[in-house]
Amino acid sequence: MSKTAVSTENAPKPPAKFSQAVRKGNLLQVAGQVAFDPATGAIVGDDVAGQTRQTFKNIEAVLAEAGASLADAIMVRVYLTDTAHFAPFNEVYDELIGEAPHPARTTVYVGLPGELLVEIDVLCVLD
């Protein structure tokens, strides 16, 4: 079974040698996405809520290119830079993640480059 890279101009280009997503069989792993505008490369949003919205736009663009959606997600990993961002992140996440059953989720606190406040990667199973 071969693996296939997924790439779209509607999400930011990776800064190193990795794919926006990789599909192997019915598994699709979306690489960590952040709040970069795909056209300008600028960070969208000056708070965690705004950056989360843009990050999900980028994730949804990659998923769409692969013929998937957030409804296919079984695991979401969230990387936040500050524990104080947990509540405002959750408000946006709850609004955007869709109907139950919700994917499993892990939240980790890390350092991110520049003014980035959130990074998210997604694992999907496709039919």
Side-chain angles (χ1 to χ4, degrees):
M1 184 180 316
S2 64
K3 63 181 179 178
T4 306
V6 176
S7 180
T8 178
E9 296 294 319
N10 297 320
K13 292 185 188 291
K17 285 189 172 183
F18 61 87
S19 302
Q20 290 171 323
V22 173
R23 181 174 182 167
K24 185 168 183 175
N26 66 341
L27 294 178
L28 176 69
Q29 175 65 53
V30 177
Q33 297 293 309
V34 294
F36 290 140
D37 180 296
T40 67
I43 295 173
V44 176
D46 56 1
D47 62 7
V48 73
Q51 287 193 22
T52 299
R53 288 183 190 288
Q54 181 63 40
T55 301
F56 269 101
K57 283 182 187 177
N58 295 339
I59 290 167
E60 289 172 329
V62 176
L63 290 172
E65 185 67 26
S69 73
L70 285 172
D72 298 305
I74 62 166
M75 178 64 190
V76 176
R77 278 180 293 262
V78 178
Y79 307 91
L80 296 173
T81 59
D82 190 326
T83 57
H85 295 155
F86 192 71
F89 169 83
N90 277 336
E91 286 182 31
V92 176
Y93 180 87
D94 290 349
E95 173 189 329
L96 299 177
I97 200 60
E99 296 184 23
H102 299 110
R105 190 180 105 189
T106 299
T107 303
V108 180
Y109 297 97
V110 298
L112 293 172
E115 301 298 315
L116 291 170
L117 303 174
V118 61
E119 180 175 341
I120 303 169
D121 72 86
V122 177
L123 176 64
C124 295
V125 175
L126 309 179
D127 294 328

